[in-house]
Amino acid sequence: MREEMRSGRRRQIEEAAYRLLEDRGYGGTSMLAVAKEARASNETLYRWYGDKRGLFKTMVASNAAATTAALKAAIGCGADPLATLDEVAPLLLSMLLGERAISLNRAAASDPSGELGATIAAAGRDSVLPLVEALIRQGLETGVLAAPSARVAAEWFLSLLVGDQQIRRVIRAMAALPEAEIRARAAAAMTAFRKLCAG
Amino acid sequence: MREEMRSGRRRQIEEAAYRLLEDRGYGGTSMLAVAKEARASNETLYRWYGDKRGLFKTMVASNAAATTAALKAAIGCGADPLATLDEVAPLLLSMLLGERAISLNRAAASDPSGELGATIAAAGRDSVLPLVEALIRQGLETGVLAAPSARVAAEWFLSLLVGDQQIRRVIRAMAALPEAEIRARAAAAMTAFRKLCAG
DNA sequence: CGTTTTCCGTACAGATGTGTACGCTCTGCG
DNA sequence: CGCAGAGCGTACACATCTGTACGGAAAACG
């Protein structure tokens, strides 16, 4: 089978899995249902992904990779660290609170083995935090920022930006934020961050 | 049946449910298993709690109520707002990151209806935030703190204190924090908070 | 002491999930 | 052209969960 077709098919299957995940949850999404939704056979699903966890692990990994890549792109082009953070903040927030990321976090919460959660952490926070950290380190070196360490400041940044929005979204205590609110929240977080890290 | 015995039995059943929830997750915990673990009959469970969600909703509500009560007690006795926050911070952190609260949040993440999440939010954050807010308002009035509003400062407090620890615990990307680390984290958060809200 | 209520243990029907097996079709390739 | 391989659709065995039902024991209560 041609490689392109196969990867296209995989994407279709994963799209179908996202749709079901988003309105039935992890427990309520069966492999059979995914197969039907994607008009594929469950045998194919099992052959390609091993089992249910394998399917969602793949989705988690590729989603996290996409997030990291988008962030890297945004960071790479900027020059001034603080201006870059201003730009990165709303982007990061919208990705962390987007329907897909939240659904995958719910799935990880429902997975007793912890593999999904480990994958999210490894490809998500553990990849993103160093990027922010490096950015902040630049700010520390040029003196526009002041903090005990780049690491601590990076954690402040993320805490002020995200707060408990993520967990609240995950437990369905909060609806998705419209674009305008995302920007407003990011701006507020940056104001607080600047104050906290003022020289 | 004597009232005390009945409520004692209920507690036993809920303890059993916690045990199973903690090592099998929400989806993996069946009513039958809870009944067996508690040496009760599933018919009793259904009569008392209605259904699975009812059982866990009860647990969520009583756990959140206990948290709020403990917090109220800690807040009530203090006089100086900042000193009270110092005292409240580690307490709140240990409750929010404790095994029970985390397991219940996982359950809420697994519950497609959103009822568990709504209950957590209502009895949890929505009750706790005003307490912190009131405390901070005192600080604003006496001038030891400065912030755009008590509400905003209360959210800063929670964000700096908890950060993403809760979601990371929920997806099993992080183990429980030992007591010493809780205190250290609370102290660090308070330092940052003081700086952020310095007049 | 007898009646009534409650609970335990077990069983049951109905539904659904997982992971595998089996024909059938279609496509790529020699 | 003919064959091999892959995927689709369906079916299957097996297990499990939910919510209800029934008989018996034990305790409360008049």
Side-chain angles (χ1 to χ4, degrees), chain B residues 1-2 29-32 42-43 46 51-52:
Chain B
M1 172 154 295
R2 241 193 255 74
T29 301
S30 71
M31 291 292 266
L32 198 69
N42 57 351
E43 185 160 1
Y46 279 102
D51 59 7
K52 185 172 172 178

Side-chain angles (χ1 to χ4, degrees), chain A residues 110-194:
Chain A
S110 309
D111 170 34
S113 81
E115 287 179 36
L116 293 185
T119 307
I120 289 185
R125 184 198 147 102
D126 296 351
S127 306
V128 166
L129 198 64
L131 296 179
V132 175
E133 205 178 318
L135 213 48
I136 288 176
R137 195 183 318 279
Q138 287 178 34
L140 292 181
E141 280 162 7
T142 59
V144 283
L145 291 176
S149 76
R151 176 58 167 275
V152 167
E155 283 176 3
W156 284 345
F157 171 76
L158 279 184
S159 293
L160 289 171
L161 179 62
V162 182
D164 58 0
Q165 307 268 303
Q166 225 178 341
I167 183 71
R168 283 170 70 204
R169 287 276 288 133
V170 163
I171 67 172
R172 296 181 178 77
M174 205 185 85
L177 258 54
E179 187 56 32
E181 291 222 25
I182 296 246
R183 273 199 303 273
R185 187 177 169 90
M190 281 308 296
T191 304
F193 180 71
R194 275 176 219 266

Side-chain angles (χ1 to χ4, degrees), chain B residues 30-123:
Chain B
S30 71
M31 291 292 266
L32 198 69
V34 173
K36 258 188 197 156
E37 176 81 14
R39 236 175 273 281
S41 120
N42 57 351
E43 185 160 1
T44 302
L45 262 76
Y46 279 102
R47 180 175 8 254
W48 288 4
Y49 298 100
D51 59 7
K52 185 172 172 178
R53 241 200 333 260
L55 168 59
F56 287 99
K57 225 155 89 176
T58 303
M59 292 161 64
V60 161
S62 79
N63 184 71
T67 299
T68 309
L71 216 62
K72 261 189 186 137
I75 287 181
C77 61
D80 176 29
L82 266 175
T84 307
L85 279 182
D86 274 324
E87 197 183 339
V88 158
L91 182 64
L92 185 55
L93 196 54
S94 72
M95 285 186 304
L96 290 182
L97 300 183
E99 203 56 44
R100 298 211 155 172
I102 294 298
S103 294
L104 292 174
N105 273 279
R106 285 188 193 128
S110 309
D111 170 34
S113 82
E115 287 179 35
L116 293 185
T119 308
I120 289 185

Side-chain angles (χ1 to χ4, degrees), chain A residues 2 30-31 42-43 46 51-52:
Chain A
R2 242 194 254 74
S30 71
M31 291 292 265
N42 56 350
E43 187 160 1
Y46 280 102
D51 58 7
K52 185 172 173 178

